[in-house]
Amino acid sequence: MKLGKAHINIKKGDITEERVDGIVNAANNTLLGGGGVDGAIHRKGGPSILEQCKKHSGCPTGEARITTAGNLPCKYVIHAVGPVYGRSDGMAEELLYNVYMNSMKLADEYGLNSLSFPSISTGAYGYPIQDAVNVVWRALEDFSRLDSTLKEINLVLFSEEDLKVYEDYFNQSIGEA
Ligand code: AR6
């Protein structure tokens, strides 16, 4: 699907296997690693990622920080901190929007052409994916109006169920656009 100048691809997969300029990590405020996507990225990417993360001294929710990608097949990792659902004083939606937007802006600052996202906050952080997908779509639509180096954005879902939620939502949104 084309949105502005970028191609948006929705697919099932493991984000650590993406051969793109940058992948986004669903990180936490410490940037020191964890489970889920974060655990897989640090495990496969090796210690150079953690060394660079330490230098950032954490990251506020809704923002993102960049490192190189160690042994991963991509060039950069954008460590993005999504909201913990139910613990953001009604700000979860705005924070989730910000984290997608800030990740794409950071990718653009570094001149990246291709970027892959996991479904941020919908795992350990408990954000319902049926609601999150609407926020992702809004962020992509708004970003597509800006001039950017990003030509390819991949939304990488880990399960068949999550993939179907995204596909249904995006097919419907394009129909209405
Ligand atoms: N590739 C793509 N998607 C994946 C992968 C993978 N290799 N592994 C899991 N997912 P989560 P969050 C999916 O929990 O909700 C960590 O401990 C997963 O099925 O990784 O933002 C951090 O350190 C789910 O759909 O991220 C934080 O403390 C989605 O990715 C906290 O978890 C996100 O799940 C962040 O929680």
Side-chain angles (χ1 to χ4, degrees):
M1 158 204 340
K2 197 106 196 268
L3 202 56
K5 285 186 195 150
H7 281 281
I8 313 288
N9 304 306
I10 296 171
K11 60 181 182 177
K12 184 165 172 257
D14 179 340
I15 196 120
T16 63
E17 290 170 8
E18 288 286 290
R19 294 182 180 278
V20 286
D21 289 345
I23 63 170
V24 176
N25 180 17
N28 60 52
N29 294 125
T30 69
L31 298 188
L32 299 179
V37 177
D38 202 5
I41 285 175
H42 282 282
R43 208 163 38 246
K44 291 197 191 172
S48 72
I49 299 180
L50 186 59
E51 286 312 310
Q52 296 170 73
C53 279
K54 283 181 185 160
K55 293 190 183 136
H56 283 299
S57 305
C59 177
T61 306
E63 294 187 19
R65 302 287 184 265
I66 195 163
T67 68
T68 54
N71 303 324
L72 293 169
C74 55
K75 295 181 193 148
Y76 292 96
V77 179
I78 291 179
H79 304 267
V81 184
V84 180
Y85 194 71
R87 267 206 241 146
S88 308
D89 290 332
M91 298 280 288
E93 188 173 334
E94 188 178 336
L95 290 168
L96 190 65
Y97 175 91
N98 290 348
V99 84
Y100 276 89
M101 206 53 150
N102 287 327
S103 298
M104 292 185 280
K105 286 182 177 166
L106 190 52
D108 176 63
E109 267 174 46
Y110 277 72
L112 309 194
N113 292 145
S114 51
L115 183 67
S116 295
F117 278 100
S119 177
I120 300 172
S121 282
T122 68
Y125 280 0
Y127 205 115
I129 192 162
Q130 291 81 359
D131 299 334
V133 67
N134 170 263
V135 182
V136 175
W137 170 254
R138 275 204 297 118
L140 288 172
E141 261 198 317
D142 291 349
F143 187 79
S144 74
R145 296 193 190 97
L146 310 174
D147 194 28
S148 160
T149 60
L150 280 176
K151 301 286 172 277
E152 177 193 324
I153 298 173
N154 304 297
L155 305 172
V156 182
L157 289 315
F158 207 45
S159 70
E160 207 59 58
E161 293 77 18
D162 287 354
L163 177 69
K164 186 158 173 21
V165 172
Y166 263 58
E167 283 180 343
D168 288 352
Y169 186 90
F170 275 74
N171 288 336
Q172 189 190 337
S173 300
I174 296 159
E176 288 169 1

